[in-house]
Amino acid sequence: MRRGFSNLAVENDEDGIDITPMLDVVFIMLIFFIVTASFVKESGIEVNRPDASTSTAKPRASILVAINDLGEIWINKRQIDVGQVRANIERLHAENPQGTVVVQADEEAKTKTLVAVMDAAREAGVTNVSLATEKK
């Protein structure tokens, strides 16, 4: 009778489904989607950009800075002070040195704030600074 129970225990171990290959495929697909995904960068607020007939798209705009009509400056969904723009751009530019800075200024934003942001970006070492507009 003992022999019958020992054979039964061995059969139960072999009857299980091995899901290791399925997990391997799932992890490989996960890695593939993470590597190929393009993440959308947002400045944090929506602004009314001015119209321009000569506007062109920037494919690698990695640093977005928004200026609203009240003169508030937003980077990565956080409102910052004019004095903090340079440090934030330096940090983001260190993460992606090939990226560019795009300033999304509202139509009613003051030129003084726009110039201060663009100067801070250039002082941070970014030479490619653009102004976002709407295509006419």
Side-chain angles (χ1 to χ4, degrees):
M1 197 160 184
R2 268 187 156 191
R3 191 182 302 163
F5 285 122
S6 64
N7 287 341
L8 184 61
V10 172
E11 287 178 14
N12 285 342
D13 289 340
E14 293 175 4
D15 287 343
I17 298 174
D18 187 17
I19 62 169
T20 305
M22 184 181 72
L23 289 175
D24 290 342
V25 170
V26 169
F27 283 126
I28 289 171
M29 288 174 57
L30 178 67
I31 291 169
F32 173 76
F33 287 123
I34 289 173
V35 169
T36 60
S38 61
F39 298 101
V40 176
K41 298 274 186 176
E42 294 181 3
S43 58
I45 58 170
E46 190 67 32
V47 295
N48 295 323
R49 296 180 286 187
D51 294 331
S53 59
T54 60
S55 62
T56 58
K58 290 285 182 184
R60 282 192 258 165
S62 62
I63 304 170
L64 297 177
V65 181
I67 305 170
N68 66 7
D69 57 344
L70 302 175
E72 299 171 338
I73 302 167
W74 292 76
I75 298 178
N76 282 346
K77 300 180 183 178
R78 291 184 305 122
Q79 183 180 354
I80 61 170
D81 190 42
V82 176
Q84 300 170 335
V85 173
R86 179 179 176 181
N88 279 282
I89 291 177
E90 282 177 348
R91 180 181 52 83
L92 293 170
H93 186 63
E95 293 173 6
N96 186 4
Q98 287 80 26
T100 61
V101 173
V102 175
V103 180
Q104 299 173 329
D106 193 273
E107 291 177 327
E108 304 298 323
K110 293 185 178 181
T111 308
K112 180 180 180 179
T113 309
L114 174 63
V115 171
V117 168
M118 293 180 81
D119 279 345
R122 289 194 179 109
E123 288 173 357
V126 181
T127 57
N128 194 353
V129 181
S130 303
L131 182 62
T133 60
E134 289 289 332
K135 187 95 170 159
K136 268 190 178 179

